[in-house]
Amino acid sequence: MNDGRPPGSLLDQVDDMEVKSELYEEPTFQKVAKLENSNSLVTLEFSNHQVEGDVKVDSDGDLVVDRKNRLSVEIEFSGSTVIPLVGLQIWRGAFVLADYILSQQKRRLFEDKVVLELAAGVGFTGVIAGMVAREIVCTDIDKGGILELIQRNFSRNQHLMKASTSVLSLDFYQDDWSPQLKRKLKETDIIIAADVIYDNNLSEAFLKCLTKVLLVPPKKTFLLALEKRFVFTVEDLDVVAPCFDHFFKCLNSQWSSPPMSAWTVQELDIDFQQTFEYERSKHLVLYKITT
Ligand SMILES: C[S@@+](CC[C@H](N)C(=O)[O-])C[C@H]1O[C@@H](n2cnc3c(N)ncnc32)[C@H](O)[C@@H]1O
């Protein structure tokens, strides 16, 4: 299977390999319901500590305080998948990003903003962004029913979200953006993405697409959450994160001239409130890029 990516991509060689998110080994994912379509449904209960009380939405779509202080998000996802369909699963980066979004409520970073997610996967982070932003646009490749899965997860959690929502196709390898996507990008303030760095060719396509996205006015903030994937290589005689290193090497070289050289790239501390239950592995990183 090839979706416009260049031949020789690592993904081409391992397309048939089944992979499974590390999250599924964690306690949160031990109690899941089986759905008729053979997907699973996890209920993620959480307290919203960032505001006084709990977040709920009133009839006008505004957030209101609930003394019970508990919310639950229901997320449909696939178990193991082949690599081209990893978007049907949920990954740790999505949890970090969700935590960060909720931790920013007092600073109102997302309030009244249009947020667009790249490679949104099952749409979990999109749901959380939809609780605090004015509009959330989730994008991913139109393959394996990923866009339909995001839409179903939006519908399941509509009662929690105050944002208007849309789900659009965006393939990093495709330059011909739909008129709807172009329109949305002109309105977008914040771009988010989680766990998109795991193949060098894909990373390069992602960087090219990201640069083009960030060049669309108005000025944008980009948040990228990743779990660094470490391996031991004989070449380095050390444990390294080759995909992560490759991505930042490309970024530093491609963004060395204006206007990108004026953008700020900042690694954020992962010391914000943990709202969801998952292992905050020390390999999780979060970057903020401002244009
Ligand atoms: C590891 S998953 C992460 C999904 C989600 N962000 C999360 O953290 O749970 C990688 C994501 O990249 C998306 N992806 C892969 N190839 C892509 C491409 N060519 N264009 C856009 N997205 C792509 C996948 O569909 C998937 O949603």
Side-chain angles (χ1 to χ4, degrees):
M1 199 191 313
N2 186 306
D3 305 292
R5 52 182 199 246
S9 164
L10 179 61
L11 291 186
D12 280 337
Q13 298 158 33
V14 292
D15 267 359
D16 295 335
M17 237 173 81
E18 285 271 326
V19 290
K20 187 170 152 191
S21 169
E22 300 90 344
L23 270 177
Y24 302 166
E25 305 300 326
E26 297 196 12
T28 307
F29 283 83
Q30 299 317 305
K31 266 195 279 169
V32 295
K34 268 280 163 220
L35 299 175
E36 270 179 17
N37 62 7
S38 81
N39 278 346
S40 302
L41 187 75
V42 66
T43 302
L44 302 167
E45 290 214 346
F46 65 101
S47 298
N48 197 333
H49 307 283
Q50 306 303 327
V51 289
E52 286 175 52
D54 208 352
V55 170
K56 269 195 176 174
V57 178
D58 67 16
S59 55
D60 294 321
D62 295 325
L63 296 184
V64 292
V65 173
D66 177 344
R67 281 192 201 90
K68 280 195 217 128
N69 202 32
R70 295 298 287 172
L71 292 174
S72 53
V73 176
E74 287 192 335
I75 297 293
E76 177 184 338
F77 64 96
S78 270
S80 63
T81 61
V82 288
I83 289 186
L85 296 181
V86 287
L88 298 170
Q89 300 190 52
I90 181 162
W91 302 85
R92 264 196 206 116
F95 276 77
V96 175
L97 205 43
D99 272 350
Y100 180 74
I101 290 168
L102 291 178
S103 76
Q104 296 303 304
Q105 285 178 92
K106 280 183 187 156
R107 293 180 54 215
R108 303 185 185 283
L109 189 70
F110 291 82
E111 196 173 284
D112 212 29
K113 296 289 193 303
V114 178
V115 178
L116 184 138
E117 181 165 15
L118 300 170
V122 301
F124 165 61
T125 318
V127 169
I128 301 304
M131 286 172 52
V132 295
R134 172 161 58 91
E135 181 169 354
I136 171 75
V137 183
C138 273
T139 70
D140 208 309
I141 36 170
D142 188 5
K143 187 161 63 172
I146 292 176
L147 301 183
E148 292 78 1
L149 177 59
I150 298 172
Q151 192 57 65
R152 288 201 295 281
N153 281 327
F154 274 174
S155 302
R156 273 192 181 87
N157 296 288
Q158 203 61 58
H159 59 291
L160 296 172
M161 299 164 76
K162 68 169 184 173
S164 57
T165 60
S166 42
V167 181
L168 300 178
S169 164
L170 197 173
D171 184 331
F172 302 147
Y173 290 103
Q174 307 291 334
D175 269 341
D176 51 341
W177 292 346
S178 68
Q180 202 187 353
L181 179 64
K182 284 185 194 161
R183 215 171 33 247
K184 291 290 178 201
L185 281 168
K186 284 186 196 149
E187 297 162 4
T188 297
D189 309 288
I190 301 178
I191 312 276
I192 57 175
D195 271 333
V196 278
I197 305 300
Y198 51 94
D199 169 80
N200 285 351
N201 281 319
L202 184 63
S203 295
E204 287 168 27
F206 168 62
L207 180 60
K208 189 167 163 240
C209 176
L210 176 67
T211 309
K212 195 176 153 191
V213 160
L214 291 178
L215 284 168
V216 176
K219 284 183 179 295
K220 303 191 193 310
T221 297
F222 172 56
L223 294 159
L224 175 66
L226 299 173
E227 183 161 20
K228 278 191 191 179
R229 315 255 162 205
F230 283 94
V231 288
F232 180 86
T233 70
V234 174
E235 196 185 356
D236 296 285
L237 280 181
D238 203 353
V239 178
V240 291
C243 293
F244 176 87
D245 294 343
H246 181 77
F247 174 72
F248 276 96
K249 199 172 140 208
C250 293
L251 184 148
N252 286 329
S253 101
Q254 288 177 32
W255 288 8
S256 60
S257 48
M260 288 82 82
S261 53
W263 296 354
T264 56
V265 181
Q266 182 190 5
E267 183 173 355
L268 303 180
D269 286 335
I270 309 258
D271 57 0
F272 40 86
Q273 175 81 48
Q274 178 159 357
T275 299
F276 294 98
E277 282 181 37
Y278 62 99
E279 192 196 328
R280 270 267 176 103
S281 129
K282 62 178 188 303
H283 303 318
L284 289 166
V285 289
L286 178 63
Y287 284 86
K288 181 177 181 176
I289 293 172
T290 320
T291 66

